[in-house]
Amino acid sequence: MTAAAEFLRRESPVPEAGSYLAFLESMLQHPWRSGEWDAQLWLFAADPDNPLTGIYACPTPGCPRVASVTGRLCLSCLGGEPGAEPAPTRRRALDPNPPRCIVGSAGQGCRAMGMIKGLCHRHYARWHHSSDNGQQRPTIEDFAVAEKEMFPPGKACASRGCREESNQRASGLCLWHHAMFRKLAKLGVDHEAFITVERPLDIRYHRHEFSFIDLPPILRTELLLVLQERDRNSYRILPATIRRIVRVGMETRARSIHRLLDAEQARPRPDAGVVGFLRHAGLLTARWRYRHSGRDMRSEDVWDAAVIGLRKDRTTRTICSKGTLDFRPISVNWLRQAAKEYSRHFDLAADQVRDVIRTVQVASDALARRPHGTRPEQLTRADAHAVVDAYRHLTGPDGEPRTDSVKYDYFKLFQRMLRDGGDLEILAQVSARFMFITAESLPTAGPHKNPGKAIPDHIIRILDANLELLAVDAAYAAPAGRTRAFQNLMLQTIYQLLRDLGRRPTEIYSLRRDTLRETDDGQPYIIYDSHKTAEYGLELPIHRSTARVIQTWQNALGTIENIHPDAAGYLFPSPRLYGPQSRTHITPTGFHTNYWRWIDRIRNLPEVQDDPARPADFLTRSRMGLYNWRHTYAQRLSDNSTPPDVIKELMNHKSFTTSTGYIKITRERQRQAIETVNSTTIDRRGLLHGPKDYAAYVRESVSTPLGLCTEPSNVKAAGQSCPVRNKCGGCQYYRANLSHLPQIDAHIVALTADLASAGDIAEPWVHQSLKEEISSYKRMRTALLKEKSRLTPEDRAAIDDAVTLLQQIPASAPPPTVGEGRRMLPVTPVSNGNRT
């Protein structure tokens, strides 16, 4: 058990239990539910008319009892004649003149207190057993007239504050308190403890009541605070669940909510409702206990994301409801402390903290094997190189090497922590030599590979043809005021907006009710919020068919009345009636579950299973994810030859480079881009060698890491037979255009580094060779920039867009396989046999 877990299971988080109790009492809300909560008796009596109380009036006419399920009969009506025995009148308030027994006549009547059906407890017992001899039981009225024996008034009940009469010689309690005492005695409450506390009456007869009066002071105050907090968040209070919690607390003698949760979970068959309530209660009380004690969980090695109140991820304000962040895998102590301090200082979300733990663990494992790894002030360049090597050789849990992109992201995050956290006390001790080498030794990220996640048109047509199958299950219980048809229409509308708008799923769910607008010339558009980029009120033009889908749903939504006022402004308000979720829009889970059931239904259709094109193989979770619709939207724009700047704007991206990650560049788009940049093609002397048409480009050149090669034998060998051993800067067949500038710049940097590394260990001719090669590439770079400066602003923008597009295509094709002919370039179309 962690230190935090043990801390939460104590009766009080500090030795002075009274101080913690006073802290809890200072947070209590007074008054609270004045018609239901009796603060003096610690008694809650649910009001069936309160929608936030899980109790309902019995539907039997004239029956005053209640049921825990709407529309269901009370237990009395289920077990006997409906309404035959009305519930006893509750006497919670003290009556100075309690009613007397109705037995007696002619001025001589029973002087004992009337308790049940107007009879005192003794006469009630006689009447109740009058049928034991086989005779028919008389009516209450006939019995009251015929009964001759009268009883004197009883002594006052021994229970504090009770003015009922005692009918128990041993306990000195009234009927109600005696029954209560017998039950509590089994749970360890002795007679003296029982009579010293003022207790409510009739609680054993009412399933909509519960009392905390016999629970330990800290536990009952915590429970009351939890109820008040849940009430503020629109959670319902379920008396049946709370009664079970009180019973468990009495049976186990638990003195804190966390101990109570442990006891319930240890039962052979724990109650799911009780466990769910206690888990939420444990989250709230943990926050209170840490707040009172002054401790900060973030100083510990294991964080509870919900207790701390971390956001789920960097794009949302939603607080975690569960999740543990364990820093213990970081074995090097100073790195573990640095990771915690960095996460706390920059208030990272839970997903960001997990990233920090994973990436710092790599560096920790590397430094743990170094002589000075545990002493940050003594780290050397060799230690930095060891860390870099650890990232370069990073493997997954299965032992398989990680991709270059993952290695790069891990290392980049570690570098960012060292750089941005330099002001933190623990990182300020790190040796400057370690910081410098690490910052200068980034692993190279692999070339961008487009995932190709767009959903094909023929699959979309199958989905649209079976749209009516997107529906809730038959077992779905529609909330009051909503029909299954209404819920189905909501699901179908969300799908159509995902398909047509290309927004992120959360941006669809959170659309406002008045999202649909029109321009001055009548063109429809929507207003939406981008939570990921923190941009609000963005505009997106849409088709009229999509506008009609939104209007149809808006009309249906206008017929619903039981929507929480806070959720009424959303286009897709939550169907829930209670809890904090009732105040906002539909959750991703609410749509996601029904979406995948729909996909499975379509996949299992006979016409889909028997289709030779095998669309059922495409209808999988890896290919039909909700985010794939955003890729589909971007691919649709690209296939329609939408300009890159327009694609970037419609996708709400900062640059077109991001947008290219959503689309697969078609050969037509590649051809256009190549012909555009081909006008800037130069040779090694800076002389212009363009433009050429696309066919000539394919026929006469081969792609190289630094540009194009036109040497015939190398072209024929698909770039695998370079006569000058890849010294392109000195070859007369070398060509380059503006799309190759980044590669040329990187190569100049690499050659310069080689020249510096050569130092005194190389002969002068090696230095001279490197210097001349660097000069040749610098001349190429200068010539390319000169050509760009001659372009008009419009042509320059077109060149930049084409360069951006071509940079997403790998510079070289994969090696040829056995039996394969000439390797084709990624930027060339498949040969059609008409080449000359």
Side-chain angles (χ1 to χ4, degrees):
M1 182 180 295
T2 64
E6 180 60 33
F7 168 72
L8 294 174
R9 282 160 175 78
R10 300 174 190 166
E11 178 179 354
S12 174
V14 293
E16 301 81 11
S19 63
Y20 178 56
L21 182 59
F23 171 77
L24 294 176
E25 291 174 342
S26 68
M27 294 191 294
L28 287 174
Q29 177 183 341
H30 299 289
W32 175 69
R33 291 209 181 193
S34 56
E36 297 175 289
W37 175 251
D38 189 326
Q40 183 178 2
L41 301 178
W42 290 83
L43 173 69
F44 185 91
D47 182 1
D49 296 328
N50 189 336
L52 290 180
T53 302
I55 209 73
Y56 308 92
C58 178
T60 302
C63 180
R65 296 183 183 270
V66 293
S68 58
V69 179
T70 178
R72 182 176 295 179
L73 297 177
C74 66
L75 292 180
S76 176
C77 295
L78 287 174
E81 183 180 352
E85 296 186 10
T89 303
R90 287 173 293 177
R91 294 188 295 277
R92 193 173 303 113
L94 301 178
D95 189 352
N97 299 304
R100 297 288 121 184
C101 180
I102 63 176
V103 172
S105 61
Q108 294 184 356
C110 180
R111 299 176 61 189
M113 181 182 293
M115 306 191 74
I116 306 175
K117 297 182 180 295
L119 302 176
C120 65
H121 71 279
R122 293 183 181 179
H123 281 132
Y124 176 80
R126 290 191 176 192
W127 171 81
H128 186 73
H129 294 288
S130 61
S131 60
D132 291 350
N133 56 6
Q135 298 179 359
Q136 185 177 3
R137 180 184 298 170
T139 65
I140 292 290
E141 293 76 11
D142 293 342
F143 175 82
V145 173
E147 181 64 24
K148 301 303 181 181
E149 186 175 0
M150 308 301 167
F151 300 106
K155 294 182 180 180
C157 177
S159 180
R160 178 181 176 184
C162 180
R163 295 184 185 177
E164 298 281 339
E165 294 180 357
S166 168
N167 70 327
Q168 300 293 326
R169 295 180 181 178
S171 63
L173 299 172
C174 67
L175 176 66
W176 313 116
H177 282 134
H178 178 72
M180 190 184 301
F181 171 66
R182 289 180 60 188
K183 183 176 180 180
L184 295 178
K186 298 177 181 179
L187 302 176
V189 177
D190 59 27
H191 184 265
E192 181 178 357
F194 182 87
I195 63 176
T196 55
V197 176
E198 186 174 350
R199 300 176 185 279
L201 297 175
D202 302 353
I203 192 170
R204 74 188 186 97
Y205 286 98
H206 301 281
R207 295 183 177 273
H208 63 298
E209 295 182 342
F210 58 84
S211 175
F212 295 151
I213 200 163
D214 289 303
L215 295 176
I218 288 180
L219 176 59
R220 71 184 182 187
T221 308
E222 285 182 337
L223 283 172
L224 178 56
L225 273 173
V226 168
L227 290 182
Q228 293 183 349
E229 180 65 25
R230 289 172 66 88
D231 193 44
R232 283 190 286 268
N233 288 297
S234 300
Y235 284 109
R236 288 193 303 166
I237 294 178
L238 304 177
T241 299
I242 306 302
R243 286 170 65 92
R244 286 193 290 268
I245 291 174
V246 172
R247 185 177 68 249
V248 173
M250 294 293 297
E251 292 174 351
T252 61
R253 297 181 175 84
R255 296 186 175 274
S256 71
I257 283 182
H258 287 82
R259 290 289 187 187
L260 200 60
L261 176 58
D262 292 341
E264 178 63 24
Q265 290 179 325
R267 288 171 174 261
R269 299 180 62 181
D271 186 287
V274 171
V275 170
F277 178 93
L278 291 178
R279 282 177 176 170
H280 185 236
L283 167 61
L284 297 176
T285 54
R287 292 174 181 170
W288 300 331
R289 284 168 174 258
Y290 271 99
R291 190 190 311 167
H292 172 255
S293 67
R295 293 178 56 177
D296 186 357
M297 179 178 278
R298 288 186 244 207
S299 64
E300 300 172 1
D301 289 342
V302 180
W303 294 4
D304 188 317
V307 172
I308 296 175
L310 297 181
R311 292 171 293 123
K312 282 187 175 181
D313 57 65
R314 66 203 81 186
T315 66
T316 183
R317 297 178 182 177
T318 304
I319 302 300
C320 293
S321 60
K322 60 182 179 179
T324 299
L325 301 170
D326 192 349
F327 290 84
R328 290 176 296 185
I330 304 176
S331 57
V332 176
N333 182 65
W334 72 268
L335 275 176
R336 183 169 60 255
Q337 299 303 322
K340 292 191 292 186
E341 286 294 323
Y342 178 78
S343 301
R344 175 169 51 186
H345 181 76
F346 290 98
D347 193 23
L348 301 184
D351 67 325
Q352 294 174 298
V353 177
R354 291 188 182 94
D355 290 341
V356 169
I357 293 174
R358 282 192 290 262
T359 191
V360 175
Q361 184 181 353
V362 178
S364 173
D365 293 343
L367 290 178
R369 298 188 290 268
R370 303 291 301 173
H372 306 295
T374 58
R375 295 184 290 275
E377 68 282 357
Q378 298 183 16
L379 294 176
T380 64
R381 295 185 181 183
D383 297 317
H385 284 303
V387 171
V388 175
D389 288 340
Y391 286 105
R392 284 176 175 162
H393 300 93
L394 185 63
T395 59
D398 55 357
E400 293 295 323
R402 294 281 196 177
T403 64
D404 289 342
S405 178
V406 171
K407 296 175 183 177
Y408 178 82
D409 290 342
Y410 270 48
F411 188 90
K412 194 69 175 179
L413 178 56
F414 180 68
Q415 180 198 19
R416 190 184 310 126
M417 189 187 79
L418 293 178
R419 182 186 68 242
D420 297 346
D423 294 336
L424 300 178
E425 181 179 357
I426 188 67
L427 290 178
Q429 305 174 16
V430 179
S431 166
R433 291 179 295 174
F434 179 84
M435 300 280 283
F436 174 78
I437 294 295
T438 301
E440 295 296 322
S441 305
L442 284 173
T444 303
H448 175 77
K449 295 181 180 180
N450 184 272
K453 293 184 178 180
I455 299 173
D457 290 340
H458 72 281
I459 297 295
I460 298 177
R461 287 193 291 269
I462 293 176
L463 298 180
D464 291 345
N466 294 279
L467 185 59
E468 73 282 354
L469 297 180
L470 179 51
V472 295
D473 285 349
Y476 177 77
R482 307 189 186 192
T483 63
R484 289 171 49 82
F486 176 84
Q487 296 297 116
N488 296 343
L489 179 60
M490 180 178 67
L491 298 175
Q492 295 165 11
T493 302
I494 293 175
Y495 156 71
Q496 293 177 86
L497 297 188
L498 284 170
R499 177 197 64 193
D500 295 347
L501 302 183
R503 299 307 90 190
R504 302 174 182 93
T506 53
E507 296 169 358
I508 298 293
Y509 305 144
S510 62
L511 287 174
R512 304 301 297 183
R513 193 164 183 169
D514 60 348
T515 182
L516 185 60
R517 311 288 177 85
E518 283 190 357
T519 61
D520 294 338
D521 58 353
Q523 296 300 317
Y525 68 97
I526 64 168
I527 301 293
Y528 74 98
D529 298 333
S530 175
H531 306 286
K532 182 176 182 179
T533 59
E535 297 175 283
Y536 304 95
L538 300 175
E539 298 181 0
L540 178 71
I542 63 175
H543 293 288
R544 294 191 181 276
S545 59
T546 307
R548 287 193 293 270
V549 170
I550 297 177
Q551 290 170 343
T552 300
W553 168 248
Q554 287 175 330
N555 295 335
L557 186 60
T559 64
I560 304 300
E561 297 180 354
N562 62 334
I563 300 177
H564 195 285
D566 294 345
Y570 290 106
L571 187 63
F572 302 108
S574 172
R576 298 186 180 181
L577 302 179
Y578 310 105
Q581 188 55 49
S582 65
R583 301 179 176 183
T584 183
H585 52 76
I586 186 175
T587 61
T589 304
F591 175 76
H592 198 259
T593 301
N594 290 287
Y595 173 81
W596 286 118
R597 289 173 180 170
W598 176 50
I599 297 298
D600 291 338
R601 292 186 192 116
I602 296 177
R603 184 181 183 185
N604 295 325
L605 291 175
E607 58 270 25
V608 175
Q609 289 283 347
D610 299 337
D611 192 332
R614 303 186 66 81
D617 292 344
F618 196 93
L619 297 172
T620 62
R621 292 182 178 264
S622 61
R623 297 183 175 182
M624 295 298 299
L626 295 183
Y627 217 86
N628 289 44
W629 292 107
R630 185 161 167 82
H631 288 260
T632 305
Y633 178 82
Q635 188 64 54
R636 190 183 306 134
L637 294 174
S638 177
D639 293 343
N640 292 334
S641 299
T642 306
D645 59 326
V646 177
I647 295 179
K648 173 182 73 73
E649 192 72 22
L650 292 176
M651 292 292 291
N652 188 33
H653 286 149
K654 299 298 183 182
S655 67
F656 180 65
T657 301
T658 306
S659 301
T660 56
Y662 288 76
I663 58 180
K664 297 189 77 170
I665 308 301
T666 63
R667 288 187 170 85
E668 177 62 20
R669 296 294 303 279
Q670 295 176 21
R671 184 189 64 79
Q672 294 174 358
I674 288 172
E675 290 183 351
T676 300
V677 299
N678 199 26
S679 62
T680 63
T681 301
I682 62 174
D683 61 15
R684 66 185 181 90
R685 297 183 179 86
L687 300 179
L688 203 61
H689 279 261
K692 287 187 177 182
D693 60 19
Y694 187 56
Y697 171 90
V698 174
R699 183 173 59 251
E700 299 176 6
S701 63
V702 65
S703 178
T704 70
L706 294 174
L708 302 172
C709 178
T710 60
E711 200 281 322
S713 62
N714 196 32
V715 171
K716 185 176 182 180
Q720 301 301 308
S721 180
C722 177
V724 297
R725 300 185 181 276
N726 297 316
K727 300 292 185 180
C728 299
C731 178
Q732 62 176 341
Y733 293 104
Y734 174 55
R735 305 288 185 269
N737 55 49
L738 287 175
S739 68
H740 301 123
L741 263 179
Q743 290 89 340
I744 293 175
D745 288 342
H747 195 55
I748 291 174
V749 172
L751 290 174
T752 304
D754 291 343
L755 180 62
S757 299
D760 298 332
I761 65 175
E763 294 289 335
W765 63 269
V766 175
H767 288 258
Q768 185 63 28
S769 174
L770 288 172
K771 290 178 181 178
E772 291 181 355
E773 189 172 2
I774 293 171
S775 298
S776 68
Y777 288 113
K778 286 184 175 180
R779 287 195 301 271
M780 292 284 291
R781 184 179 186 277
T782 302
L784 287 172
L785 294 177
K786 184 177 180 180
E787 290 298 326
K788 186 176 182 178
S789 65
R790 295 175 181 173
L791 300 174
T792 63
E794 293 78 10
D795 291 341
R796 192 176 304 159
I799 288 288
D800 289 341
D801 289 340
V803 168
T804 301
L805 187 146
L806 289 176
Q807 286 174 354
Q808 310 310 312
I809 304 169
S812 60
T817 58
V818 178
E820 191 178 14
R822 174 184 171 178
R823 181 183 60 181
M824 302 303 297
L825 299 178
V827 295
T828 61
V830 177
S831 174
N832 56 13
N834 296 326
R835 294 172 52 193
T836 58

